[in-house]
Amino acid sequence: MAGSHHVGSESSLASPSDQPHRTAFHFQPPKNWMNDPNGPMYYNGVYHFFYQHNPFGPLFNPQMYWAHSVSRDLINWTPLNHAFAPTQPFDINGCWSGSATILPGNKPVILYTGLDSEHHQVQNLAVPKDLSDPYLQEWVGYTGNPVINLPDGIQHDDFRDPTTAWLANDGKWRVIIGSQKDKKGIAFLYRSEDFVNWSMHESPLYEVAGTGIWECPDFFPVCVDSNNGVDTSVMNSRVKHVLKVGLYDYTRDYYLIGSYTPEKESFVPQNELTLDALRYDYGKYYASKSFFDPVKNRRILMGWVNESDSETDCIAKGWSGLQSFPRSIWLDQNQKQLVQWPIEEIKMLHENEVSIQNMNLEGGSIHEIVGITASQADVKISFKLTNLEKAEELDMSGIDPQVFCSEMDASKKGKFGPFGLLALASHDLFEQTAIFFRVFQNNGRYTVLMCSDQSRSSTRNGLDKTTYGAFVDIDPQQDEISLRTLIDHSIVESFGGGGKTCITARVYPTLAIGDDARLFAFNYGTESVLISELSAWSVKKARINIEETIGCT
Ligand code: DQQ
């Protein structure tokens, strides 16, 4: 059932000077629309990444295809033919999101949502046509598809996005599927002994009233005492489980951490799913999916980062949508939240290292970081604060950090903060994306706020320049306040507090492009802060989806 469409080659795009916002080391197709990551997996030496693709244009179209790329290092990707095209009665109106599972005997399979001939969302099974093909280029739909039909009482378009399945001790596979009923978000649970015959468990794995449809759920174990990842079926006293759901109504990925007992099919989270709940990323980021990488014993997460410009702009660019840089993801030592960090393979792309130690950044000062390509960079900076008793008094309880960051943008002076980075800045700072912190105290407790302010990111109007914000769960009395930011022409992906708080933004500078982009550390607070350590690199261009003969060795 592989589509015969070949994705266009990069040479068909306008020259780089006409494409100042195309990225260099983030995953994107050669052209046209991309949204959700689908079925990431590792199989016999090759990483596979599928994604929702409209091969015919740069805008969303429900008649989705599954595009397919392969890599040996998660950095350079080779495009293959589409794995699924909407051609069969069970997916004729679209091949929507889904996940891969490696069955015993090292046999990969995929479950994905099809929009059938009646526009019902159903779940389909597919297997590689030839397991001896190292790239698994062709996929075949199971003849008995769909393997899971729309449940009674659920609307035809409210049942989608099967997860990677997990196997419990009773020999039954489990999978969850996103849904809703009367605005109650639901993760329906299905079980099967053979991966073909599935039956719905009497109660969902989890549901929360008032949250609307749950898209692209993900359910996986995380170790309580190590940063290593574990395979999705691992269940023992050393793991907790994470349930991630995409709330369609808000385009946000929220997660719950809890205990899962397969014998009772109960998932008891330790945190609540509210709009203030934990999120993978507090910026532009959605429909993410994780997978276990057995090569380095880690769990890797990728998410869809949509555009912030207009449909007209996407048509002019000829493409739309990025994937976040792959992140390792694990449970924080305090077991209250997850931590994310760019995968170490990024080092392959580093060059021109610049480093600074113990530099005092006076209140109201700015320091240019020179010697790297600021439009294509990886920068890590750590701030040490002393005299914290001088921090502003503010009771942050009940404050929405995003609203607060929007009102207190980077230009508003505080005491400790705003301090951080000005990315993709023009020489006169007219254009800049400011990623920064503010520190407050209340009754002897400190709160660290992280903001990503896009309000001056471009001279252009008509862009979504929403400012994002979130708290960072660290104590500045004990810990330095660290920020890592990946800058790639039109994406600014930031990791605060060692990866406890992530914020991704899309920006479209007109002045700060290519070699004209600058990078600064800044401190507009009145109190000085110490840059204890700064390391920054230019990031080389990766080979991403440039058509060539397969052989990504
Ligand atoms: N995108 C897919 C759906 C999923 C949504 C369609 C999330 O399967 O629910 O392209 O972005």
Side-chain angles (χ1 to χ4, degrees):
M1 71 189 301
S4 57
H5 301 272
H6 242 273
V7 279
S9 69
E10 207 175 36
S11 57
S12 64
L13 287 168
S15 67
S17 61
D18 295 335
Q19 286 281 346
H21 302 126
R22 213 170 149 79
T23 61
F25 61 97
H26 281 79
F27 185 100
Q28 60 180 136
K31 61 179 179 180
N32 293 327
W33 168 274
M34 169 177 71
N35 55 307
D36 314 350
N38 289 157
M41 65 171 181
Y42 172 82
Y43 177 71
N44 285 358
V46 178
Y47 294 100
H48 292 255
F49 185 77
F50 305 83
Y51 56 93
Q52 292 282 282
H53 189 219
N54 171 12
F56 307 112
L59 303 181
F60 178 77
N61 180 325
Q63 278 233 326
M64 278 289 148
Y65 286 60
W66 271 50
H68 184 192
S69 295
V70 286
S71 172
R72 293 205 184 259
D73 55 18
L74 291 162
I75 297 288
N76 300 291
W77 292 90
T78 303
L80 304 177
N81 281 350
H82 287 95
F84 311 137
T87 50
Q88 306 293 318
F90 52 79
D91 64 15
I92 188 82
N93 285 303
C95 300
W96 281 22
S97 287
S99 308
T101 304
I102 311 281
L103 301 187
N106 202 21
K107 296 205 172 88
V109 297
I110 284 174
L111 282 173
Y112 70 95
T113 298
L115 272 54
D116 74 8
S117 42
E118 292 175 346
H119 288 271
H120 286 188
Q121 295 183 349
V122 297
Q123 316 311 324
N124 299 320
L125 176 66
V127 296
K129 188 171 175 187
D130 175 9
L131 275 181
S132 67
D133 167 10
Y135 302 109
L136 304 177
Q137 292 172 86
E138 284 190 66
W139 289 75
V140 193
Y142 170 62
T143 46
N145 272 340
V147 290
I148 303 178
N149 271 303
L150 187 67
D152 289 344
I154 295 299
Q155 292 208 20
H156 71 97
D157 54 354
D158 281 343
F159 184 55
R160 55 183 178 271
D161 309 337
T163 55
T164 294
W166 67 96
L167 184 64
N169 279 339
D170 59 5
K172 288 189 186 154
W173 289 98
R174 273 90 167 150
V175 81
I176 54 172
I177 298 167
S179 189
Q180 72 167 336
K181 194 170 186 183
D182 305 325
K183 279 277 165 200
K184 179 169 67 182
I186 306 174
F188 280 124
L189 177 68
Y190 284 77
R191 301 196 292 190
S192 171
E193 278 171 20
D194 57 6
F195 231 87
V196 167
N197 296 289
W198 293 89
S199 47
M200 190 202 269
H201 186 64
E202 59 212 18
S203 51
L205 181 72
Y206 206 62
E207 55 185 8
V208 180
T211 51
I213 187 161
W214 290 359
E215 296 188 310
C216 299
D218 200 6
F219 189 64
F220 56 88
V222 281
C223 295
V224 295
D225 52 10
S226 138
N227 297 356
N228 286 342
V230 282
D231 210 340
T232 312
S233 295
V234 168
M235 256 162 275
N236 57 45
S237 56
R238 289 187 44 223
V239 301
K240 286 191 174 188
H241 273 77
V242 174
L243 172 65
K244 184 279 296 192
V245 294
L247 297 199
Y248 170 81
D249 290 352
Y250 303 90
T251 337
R252 290 176 173 182
D253 275 1
Y254 285 94
Y255 68 90
L256 301 171
I257 302 172
S259 326
Y260 170 59
T261 316
E263 294 75 31
K264 294 193 265 173
E265 297 301 5
S266 84
F267 173 65
V268 182
Q270 61 191 39
N271 58 319
E272 244 185 283
L273 181 57
T274 63
L275 287 184
D276 310 323
L278 293 165
R279 287 162 61 187
Y280 279 170
D281 194 297
Y282 296 84
K284 188 150 278 200
Y285 184 94
Y286 191 56
S288 61
K289 200 173 286 295
S290 72
F291 74 104
F292 174 63
D293 172 13
V295 182
K296 295 198 174 173
N297 280 325
R298 57 189 171 173
R299 184 160 286 273
I300 295 178
L301 178 73
M302 287 173 83
W304 167 41
V305 184
N306 199 0
E307 301 302 306
S308 292
D309 57 0
S310 68
E311 291 196 347
T312 321
D313 294 322
C314 292
I315 291 165
K317 300 196 304 253
W319 56 269
S320 176
L322 304 177
Q323 298 297 329
S324 58
F325 192 80
R327 303 172 180 178
S328 289
I329 181 168
W330 66 89
L331 185 65
D332 185 52
Q333 269 176 4
N334 70 15
Q335 300 187 18
K336 289 195 302 192
Q337 66 160 109
L338 298 172
V339 182
Q340 299 166 61
W341 203 239
I343 55 165
E344 61 186 12
E345 284 82 348
I346 196 169
K347 289 184 195 148
M348 290 168 47
L349 300 174
H350 281 168
E351 62 182 1
N352 309 331
E353 179 169 1
V354 164
S355 65
I356 294 174
Q357 271 95 33
N358 295 326
M359 193 185 94
N360 196 42
L361 207 51
E362 298 280 324
S365 72
I366 183 159
H367 174 82
E368 182 165 7
I369 301 159
V370 289
I372 59 160
T373 309
S375 56
Q376 228 173 275
D378 180 1
V379 48
K380 287 178 178 173
I381 187 164
S382 233
F383 297 97
K384 195 168 175 176
L385 275 47
T386 42
N387 302 325
L388 270 165
E389 67 285 352
K390 293 188 182 158
E392 286 152 271
E393 288 276 351
L394 189 64
D395 178 5
M396 297 295 280
S397 51
I399 287 186
D400 177 331
Q402 173 160 346
V403 172
F404 191 88
C405 286
S406 317
E407 287 163 2
M408 293 291 287
D409 69 26
S411 69
K412 309 270 178 2
K413 256 191 203 330
K415 286 189 176 163
F416 280 109
F419 59 87
L421 292 172
L422 301 179
L424 293 172
S426 54
H427 71 280
D428 57 1
L429 299 181
F430 193 73
E431 278 186 337
Q432 53 170 274
T433 295
I435 312 102
F436 61 87
F437 300 101
R438 290 181 190 272
V439 178
F440 300 98
Q441 61 174 322
N442 186 237
N443 293 328
R445 290 186 55 122
Y446 289 90
T447 304
V448 178
L449 180 73
M450 173 174 165
C451 307
S452 183
D453 172 6
Q454 284 66 245
S455 58
R456 296 172 192 76
S457 59
S458 177
T459 55
R460 289 183 46 203
N461 295 320
L463 304 169
D464 170 9
K465 295 183 186 172
T466 305
T467 287
Y468 307 116
F471 297 116
V472 191
D473 187 19
I474 53 172
D475 179 357
Q477 295 173 111
Q478 321 279 332
D479 305 317
E480 297 193 351
I481 302 180
S482 74
L483 174 65
R484 181 170 187 184
T485 297
L486 307 183
I487 303 160
D488 193 2
H489 300 275
S490 64
I491 181 169
V492 179
E493 217 179 331
S494 299
F495 303 80
K500 286 186 162 190
T501 300
C502 306
I503 304 183
T504 299
R506 295 302 308 279
V507 293
Y508 307 87
T510 58
L511 310 169
I513 56 177
D515 292 343
D516 293 332
R518 307 275 181 98
L519 175 67
F520 299 86
F522 79 103
N523 176 17
Y524 294 160
T526 52
E527 299 303 315
S528 62
V529 295
L530 180 79
I531 299 180
S532 57
E533 184 110 43
L534 177 147
S535 303
W537 300 264
S538 300
V539 178
K540 287 182 276 191
K541 188 172 166 52
R543 217 176 57 237
I544 297 181
N545 292 326
I546 297 165
E547 264 190 323
E548 59 194 303
T549 355
I550 304 175
C552 48
T553 47

